[in-house]
Amino acid sequence: MNNSTEHIAPFVELGKILTSNAIEDVVFKAYSQNHWFIPDFVTHALKAIGEEYLNEEKLRTWLSTYQLQSWQPDFVPKKIGVVMAGNIPAVGFHDLLSVLLSGHHLMAKLSTDDRVLMLFLIEKLTEIAPALAQRITLAERLNAADAYIATGSDNTSRYFEYYFSKKPHLIRRNRTSVGILTGEETNEELMGLGRDVYSYFGLGCRNVSKIFVPTGYDFSKFYEAIEPQLDFFRNHHKYFNNYEYNKSVYLVNREPHLDNGFLMLRETESLVSPISVLFFEYYANAHDLKSKLEAHSEKIQCIVSKEGHFPSSLPLGEAQKPSLYDYADGVDTMAFLTSL
């Protein structure tokens, strides 16, 4: 398989469906199955897949960077066992796309939290291109796979490493994202940071769970920027239950924190904050900031900063718009697949 129109056409067609009103039914079905997947977030996730992953030009450019051998007559596809995450809507789609466009056979163990959306995407794709149904297997056990891709927590990753050790594997662990503020951000940029923090209720690896701020930073501007979201988050019972629980813990333990009624800020050197909490840490200067980030480099998925000024960072508000090249854990999935 190469990157010809014939091979990417079904995915481009799927992209058109995801950017249309044809997704309304599955959006509400996903929410009824998992109340973290509210309609706004599911719609955003599916349309982002359509626009960022399934754009014809972007697909061509992406595939052109790899030496795909699957179009050769002697190519023998492998069975790729994929343990899919389910923390945010359709998070396993990039793996599905990579396996199928690399020419291999997908053996997918779906997450119960994201089953509705992944089944919808597979159904639509195989309606468009029925031949692809022969290259997709849904399975609870992946013993028959020739290679593995698995996404999980740091604890489950050790389990995956043990059970998949005898075959080629790509194991992903916990990661999170961080923001850098200078104090010169506009209200719109701080609103963008808010989206980076609480889109998908903070459950994704691209969600900002910690910000680095200059010594003496005034958080009032940030809180003012995100204040319009107060009712939205107070009215989501699962999120607000987490907020009330974490608030109670901080109050009982007398841990210093800031609070605007739906998002707490707490100073700590830790990186991964619980739902409804944003960690922060002061930095004295550019050298101090660089040192702090380097100490966490293995755990950071992406960085956001004002206008993307910090090296290898994205502009504030752009964390939840991954491209085809934005691989989880920074490990190139397609390079792994084409090396098999």
Side-chain angles (χ1 to χ4, degrees):
M1 183 183 297
N2 56 22
N3 60 343
S4 68
T5 301
E6 176 187 352
H7 296 113
I8 65 173
F11 299 94
V12 174
E13 194 63 31
L14 176 62
K16 293 176 182 176
I17 293 173
L18 299 185
T19 54
S20 72
N21 292 329
I23 62 174
E24 287 183 0
D25 287 347
V26 76
V27 163
F28 287 98
K29 187 177 179 183
Y31 174 64
S32 67
Q33 191 263 334
N34 180 349
H35 279 10
W36 286 113
F37 288 10
I38 63 169
D40 283 353
F41 289 163
V42 174
T43 300
H44 178 272
L46 294 180
K47 291 197 171 182
I49 287 172
E51 293 168 359
E52 297 298 324
Y53 290 175
L54 304 182
N55 171 281
E56 183 172 355
E57 184 177 347
K58 291 177 180 178
L59 278 171
R60 288 182 183 279
T61 302
W62 178 54
L63 292 178
S64 70
T65 61
Y66 301 95
Q67 295 295 320
L68 296 177
Q69 300 298 318
S70 48
W71 55 273
Q72 298 284 2
D74 59 348
F75 175 76
V76 179
K78 306 286 187 184
K79 294 179 180 178
I80 312 299
V82 180
V83 181
M84 294 189 174
N87 50 318
I88 65 173
V91 68
F93 183 78
H94 193 284
D95 284 339
L96 177 150
L97 178 68
S98 299
V99 171
L100 294 179
L101 284 179
S102 66
H104 294 300
H105 183 110
L106 173 70
M107 294 185 67
K109 178 176 171 57
L110 304 182
S111 166
T112 54
D113 290 335
D114 194 23
R115 191 173 183 85
V116 168
L117 292 177
M118 291 308 302
L119 287 175
F120 168 79
L121 291 165
I122 291 169
E123 176 187 336
K124 290 301 176 186
L125 188 59
T126 52
E127 283 178 4
I128 295 165
L132 286 175
Q134 304 303 313
R135 294 175 44 218
I136 301 174
T137 301
L138 301 182
E140 285 303 308
R141 298 181 64 83
L142 303 175
N143 307 55
D146 301 305
Y148 297 96
I149 298 173
T151 304
S153 67
D154 288 349
N155 286 332
T156 56
S157 68
R158 287 191 284 271
Y159 168 90
F160 293 147
E161 289 280 6
Y162 175 78
Y163 281 97
F164 301 154
S165 61
K166 295 179 180 177
K167 294 181 181 179
H169 56 271
L170 192 167
I171 310 298
R172 306 188 186 112
R173 295 164 177 79
N174 275 352
R175 283 211 176 195
T176 192
S177 298
V178 301
I180 297 170
L181 298 182
T182 64
E184 299 177 357
E185 290 75 19
T186 66
N187 188 68
E188 285 190 3
E189 287 172 325
L190 292 174
M191 289 172 64
L193 173 63
R195 293 192 298 273
D196 293 334
V197 172
Y198 50 64
S199 289
Y200 308 121
F201 298 110
L203 293 169
C205 69
R206 297 183 70 86
N207 281 106
V208 169
S209 63
K210 180 174 184 174
I211 54 175
F212 293 88
V213 298
T215 303
Y217 181 80
D218 179 7
F219 288 99
S220 60
K221 289 185 178 179
F222 173 62
Y223 269 152
E224 287 170 8
I226 66 172
E227 186 177 4
Q229 299 298 319
L230 175 64
D231 288 343
F232 176 86
F233 286 95
R234 288 178 69 92
N235 289 328
H236 187 273
H237 71 279
K238 292 175 79 71
Y239 178 91
F240 202 66
N241 285 346
N242 278 268
Y243 163 80
E244 291 190 311
Y245 170 79
N246 289 314
K247 180 176 181 177
S248 297
V249 170
Y250 289 164
L251 291 174
V252 169
N253 294 333
R254 299 188 178 183
E255 295 185 39
H257 64 280
L258 300 173
D259 183 6
N260 74 339
F262 76 93
L263 181 68
M264 289 171 285
L265 282 156
R266 178 173 170 244
E267 183 179 3
T268 176
E269 292 184 359
S270 298
L271 196 64
V272 182
S273 59
I275 294 171
S276 77
V277 180
L278 176 62
F279 288 163
F280 72 90
E281 187 173 349
Y282 293 112
Y283 64 88
N285 51 49
H287 176 73
D288 183 35
L289 174 61
K290 184 179 179 183
S291 297
K292 291 177 186 294
L293 290 169
E294 286 176 349
H296 294 296
S297 61
E298 293 299 311
K299 288 290 185 180
I300 295 175
Q301 180 65 31
C302 71
I303 302 172
V304 293
S305 66
K306 181 179 175 65
E307 298 174 351
H309 79 278
F310 191 84
S312 301
S313 71
L314 298 168
L316 296 165
E318 297 293 309
Q320 298 297 345
K321 298 179 181 178
S323 75
L324 286 162
Y325 297 92
D326 288 321
Y327 299 103
D329 278 21
V331 180
D332 191 323
T333 311
M334 189 62 92
F336 168 75
L337 291 166
T338 55
S339 70
L340 297 172

